[in-house]
Amino acid sequence: MQHRIVVLGAGYAGAVAAGRLARRLHRGDVALTLVNAEPDFVERVRLHQLAAGQDLAARPLAEVFAGTGVAVKVAKVTGVDVEGRRVALAAVDGREGTEEELAYDTLVYALGSGWDDGGVPGVAEHAHDVSGRAGALRLRDRLAALAAGRPVVVVGGGLTGVEAATEIAEARPDLDVALVARRGLGDWLSGKGRAHLRKAVDRLGITVHEHTAVGAVAADAVTTADGRTIPADATVWTTGFAVHPLARATALEVADRGRIVVDPTMRSVSHPQVYAVGDAATAIGPGGKPLRMSCASGVPMAWQAADAIAARLAGTEVPSISIRYAQQCVSLGREDGLIQFVTADDRAVDRALTGRLAARYKELICKGAVWGVRRPTLGLPTRRRRVVRQEAPSRAGAHAAL
């Protein structure tokens, strides 16, 4: 009987996990299904480019996983029964009568995250986001409809906000682009990084409102917490990410933000048949700090989970990898960039790469991420192991099995 592995979500983490499992386990021993709400693999790190009017290459999941043994199912996940080991699915178009259940022996939960409105009045109704393809396309249409001189406000001074503001300002120099940051501009960067970022926003004509919190968003303006009004024909909200709410509705142990609590092998601490990777999981990294939501964290988490699952099913020693940070890659339009080198626990060091060379570096990173989805073992030869036992320990014995 085949061991049924279901992977929920085909972002960077989920897609890599599915592909790596397919290369680690004998095809006749496992039935591997990847469930995703879209038929294509979406390059999330490029969605600010899509919003700014650039066209991205289509990457159908059916092509990405052709010949691998991974069955791709395009459906929306509506529920997970971790006690009964079943996943509830519905058609993405919401048609009645299309609900179904998918049973699993091992589940990899990688549903990821979306935008977080922070409970700020008016954000859900009036703001745009670049956390998913649908949101980026809506923003793209809105920007295309704006006449010259109209104001656009990007709220959020982190990596996503900086990339969105600079991309829009470069693509549409006729618009009046502003960036609202709760803290100082680039205050997480090194001195060299902050100086280059400020030079870039000045070059692009972006107005920066530092140390400014937003209290409300309307259709035509942003109101700051201290009562000022900033005109905005389009508001882009990039203040952070919220995980998919589904995990909180299950019996899985989750942290305060709804992320699944996992051990160093990305296995749920409460339900050993469930692994969680990417933004959906709370995993501890260097310095005892939780790994941040990012592609840089999600991909190695997927490597670890896939290798741990394969080893446990094959009855071999469970490998362990070190998940650490090396750099933060920031595009500042198509011809400028910033590579901030960091410590293992993601703190900036006094080294940064800037300008055109940094832009090329960031482009290589983006291309490398897609390359890694198609080659989840990094092009190295692999031996598919036979499944020698079905993993079904009780929750009480979960830690003993590690």
Side-chain angles (χ1 to χ4, degrees), residues 268-309:
S268 164
V269 299
S270 63
H271 291 75
Q273 296 81 28
V274 177
Y275 292 73
V277 294
D279 292 358
T282 290
I284 303 302
K289 296 165 57 177
L291 296 170
R292 64 178 166 87
M293 296 181 183
S294 66
C295 179
S297 303
V299 169
M301 290 168 75
W303 294 339
Q304 176 62 75
D307 290 354
I309 293 168

Side-chain angles (χ1 to χ4, degrees), residues 224-248:
T224 65
D226 59 7
R228 292 181 292 122
T229 298
I230 304 173
D233 281 6
T235 298
V236 187
W237 195 262
T238 69
T239 62
F241 297 109
V243 298
H244 196 290
L246 196 60
R248 194 185 291 275

